[in-house]
Amino acid sequence: MAISRDDLDQHGLIIGVSPERFRAVAMPLLFDHLDAQCEGTIAVNRQARIVWINDKYAQKVGIADARTALGKEIEEVLPASRLREVVESGQPSMLDLMAFGDEHFVVTRIPLRDEDGTLVGALGFVLFDRARHLKPLMAKYNNLQSQLLATQHELAKARRARYTIAGFIGASSAASEVKRQARRAAQLDATVLLRGETGTGKELLAQGIHNLSPRANGPFVAVNVAAIPETLVEAELFGTAPGAFTGADRKARIGKFEVANGGTLFLDEIGDLPLPLQAKLLRVLQEQEVEPLGSNQVKPLNVRVIAATHIDLEAKVAAGQFRDDLYYRLNVLALRVPPLRERVGDIPALIEHLLDDLANRSGLAPMELSDDALALLCAQPWRGNVRELRNLLERAQLAIDGRLDAETLRSLLVDPVTPSEQAPVVPAAISTTQTLAEQLAQAERQALLAALAATDGNRQLAAERLGISRAGFYAKLAQHGLGRRG
């Protein structure tokens, strides 16, 4: 802001005046000019309490008498003010946008010092009211703000768990037991280990546990450890400091643990985690803090981990490929997700659900199945479980128009198993002469026999295979008249 010659000449500052005298007279003039030309002026002391505010500024912020603001902390009057930061740092903020209600002010902030250089407060000026002189810039700023809010909203939606435990379709004893265990796990904040073959619905249960837990409003972040190149796993999980390695981003990168802070991190295929990183994961789980790659600072976390695997972790521990201490830390709450062949009574309900879902996604009418086609589907071993079943139904929907019969279905199957070949394990659910209760009871009995056969009569292993307690297994044997079998 320029000071006129008349101003200086009035005080004899043109010729023969010392610099000290010049400053003593010119500085008050400079302040008066700023105060007159700006849209508002305010000053705070070392405690960031208001010691002065001019009438123009007071009126802009809805204060009838400027004197009533004196002594108040700056945030009480201007919630978005950063004068406190200027007081604490001693550094000016020459140009900034400050929000007040629906408006934005263009402001500048400078520290105030006494003759000895001691910081005594800070001074703020509103250069432009409502930023009307920066209209093009404000339009871009508002547009960017809108895009940012929209992106954050979409990102938050993407990090919400979509499924509930009820989405695990099935009323068999095996399905009911795993859902019961999942509901119990949701009420606890301990680490959960989901074990089961590929395609059994481990991530669905993980999302269901999250949605039923106190962390339901937090993010749900899923990471497939096996899908990340080994060289990038550490950066992906724990983040990186700026320039942590050659080719790294100059900005810090947030890892998935930090992204999931306040919520749940689902680590799928945990058995594929490289051995050198297992110790770091163990520390994160124990200490609830993370140290990004290339950083020497730790960040506190509040994350629940749900891990999943389809491999034999005990065998990997015995082979020295998986740390035993990490195994014990993960295996706090273990849930075994049964394969589809152990809950064949659920296949008809699953098929109905999958066909409806495929129809909704494709916009086509739901495909119908003949009785012999349903029997053929129930007889398959389903090594890929529900995922394989869905894949087959999707291919069938594209291949036919209308009703799916056994002959057409057999051409889509790889090495199909006929119902007669699988007679001992064909579920009674396909019978049209039995009630639903009778069909379910028969399917449950067959599942018990199949589990005993697969474990050579070892009842403890058979109970674990079915995902129920040993006492529950004995009760089921007695219920079906199998108590005296081996």
Side-chain angles (χ1 to χ4, degrees):
M1 186 68 65
I3 300 175
S4 70
R5 180 182 179 87
D6 291 340
D7 289 332
L8 297 178
D9 188 51
Q10 178 182 347
H11 294 280
L13 298 177
I14 301 298
I15 300 174
V17 177
S18 67
E20 291 77 12
R21 175 62 180 164
F22 182 91
R23 283 194 297 271
V25 177
M27 292 309 292
L29 289 173
L30 178 63
F31 179 80
D32 289 341
H33 274 274
L34 282 171
D35 184 35
Q37 296 298 322
C38 292
E39 299 293 338
T41 313
I42 192 168
V44 298
N45 61 14
R46 283 293 303 274
Q47 288 74 43
R49 292 185 178 274
I50 299 172
V51 295
W52 182 73
I53 180 173
N54 69 356
D55 292 334
K56 282 196 296 186
Y57 208 164
Q59 291 173 7
K60 288 185 186 302
V61 297
I63 299 175
D65 185 353
R67 290 173 297 182
T68 61
L70 301 182
K72 294 183 178 180
E73 292 189 350
I74 184 64
E75 293 82 5
E76 290 185 52
V77 177
L78 298 170
S81 174
R82 297 176 60 184
L83 278 174
R84 185 182 296 275
E85 295 180 21
V86 176
V87 171
E88 293 174 350
S89 67
Q91 300 298 316
S93 174
M94 300 309 297
L95 192 65
D96 194 13
L97 289 173
M98 184 183 73
F100 185 80
D102 296 331
E103 301 177 356
H104 284 85
F105 298 157
V106 181
V107 300
T108 187
R109 310 178 185 97
I110 56 175
L112 291 176
R113 301 181 184 276
D114 63 14
E115 295 179 354
D116 298 330
T118 303
L119 191 67
V120 296
L123 191 65
F125 296 98
V126 177
L127 301 180
F128 302 126
D129 181 16
R130 301 181 185 176
R132 62 179 182 271
H133 298 290
L134 299 177
K135 190 173 182 179
L137 179 62
M138 285 302 300
K140 292 181 180 179
Y141 172 78
N142 290 332
N143 185 42
L144 288 173
Q145 282 288 93
S146 298
Q147 292 181 21
L148 177 61
L149 289 174
T151 301
Q152 289 175 336
H153 179 68
E154 290 299 319
L155 188 59
K157 285 175 59 180
R159 287 175 179 155
R160 294 287 182 186
R162 296 177 295 164
Y163 300 110
T164 63
I165 294 174
F168 190 87
I169 305 298
S172 66
S173 58
S176 299
E177 177 63 17
V178 76
K179 286 190 280 190
R180 184 193 68 80
Q181 292 178 3
R183 292 188 180 97
R184 179 174 175 271
Q187 304 311 309
L188 306 172
D189 207 38
T191 304
V192 176
L193 179 61
L194 298 174
R195 310 188 67 165
E197 298 175 8
T198 180
T200 51
K202 296 188 290 295
E203 182 169 354
L204 185 151
L205 281 174
Q207 291 194 24
I209 292 171
H210 169 81
N211 273 334
L212 198 60
S213 75
R215 297 177 178 270
N217 291 327
F220 177 88
V221 180
V223 181
N224 189 319
V225 176
I228 307 172
E230 187 171 337
T231 54
L232 298 179
V233 174
E234 183 173 9
E236 188 72 16
L237 291 181
F238 309 115
T240 63
F245 52 87
T246 303
D249 199 319
R250 293 181 180 179
K251 297 181 180 180
R253 179 179 178 181
I254 298 177
K256 290 298 190 289
F257 268 97
E258 285 188 76
V259 174
N261 199 22
T264 302
L265 179 63
F266 176 58
L267 295 177
D268 199 8
E269 303 299 352
I270 190 64
D272 291 316
L273 184 68
L275 192 60
L277 294 181
Q278 293 177 19
K280 189 165 186 176
L281 174 60
L282 176 64
R283 177 171 178 79
V284 173
L285 293 176
Q286 290 184 162
E287 305 298 331
Q288 281 288 295
E289 59 185 24
V290 65
E291 183 176 348
L293 179 63
S295 174
N296 57 4
Q297 294 183 339
V298 295
K299 299 179 179 181
L301 293 173
N302 178 21
V303 176
R304 184 194 196 174
V305 169
I306 299 178
T309 184
H310 74 282
I311 64 175
D312 188 344
L313 282 183
E314 290 82 2
K316 293 202 75 170
V317 170
Q321 298 173 341
F322 200 87
R323 294 178 63 104
D324 55 354
D325 47 4
L326 177 58
Y327 167 75
Y328 297 133
R329 188 64 184 80
L330 291 171
N331 197 37
V332 177
L333 285 173
L335 274 70
R336 179 181 176 273
V337 187
L340 198 51
R341 61 183 172 275
E342 292 182 11
R343 54 188 193 101
V344 288
D346 295 331
I347 290 179
L350 264 171
I351 290 174
E352 183 179 4
H353 170 78
L354 292 173
L355 288 178
D356 286 345
D357 184 59
L358 290 172
N360 289 333
R361 290 174 182 268
S362 65
L364 302 174
M367 182 175 61
E368 295 184 5
L369 270 68
S370 65
D371 291 342
D372 56 351
L374 180 59
L376 183 59
L377 287 174
C378 291
Q380 303 310 306
W382 300 119
R383 297 177 183 85
N385 296 289
V386 181
R387 187 180 291 119
E388 183 185 359
L389 175 60
R390 182 189 179 90
N391 173 267
L392 176 69
L393 294 175
E394 195 166 9
R395 287 190 290 119
Q397 187 180 49
L398 296 174
I400 68 163
D401 183 15
R403 188 178 179 86
L404 178 64
D405 56 29
E407 183 178 353
T408 305
L409 177 61
R410 194 172 284 107
S411 67
L412 298 173
L413 289 167
V414 179
D415 298 327
V417 177
T418 65
S420 60
E421 292 172 334
Q422 282 282 319
V425 294
V426 174
I430 63 173
S431 172
T432 59
T433 61
Q434 293 178 303
T435 66
L436 178 60
E438 290 172 336
Q439 294 175 41
L440 292 175
Q442 185 173 339
E444 187 173 77
R445 188 176 193 277
Q446 291 168 347
L448 294 170
L449 290 172
L452 286 170
T455 57
D456 295 328
N458 187 314
R459 297 184 178 186
Q460 178 64 39
L461 291 178
E464 293 177 1
R465 190 179 185 88
L466 292 176
I468 60 177
S469 67
R470 185 171 182 176
F473 184 77
Y474 276 94
K476 293 291 183 183
L477 290 178
Q479 178 183 340
H480 292 283
L482 302 173
R484 295 186 178 183
R485 288 180 177 263

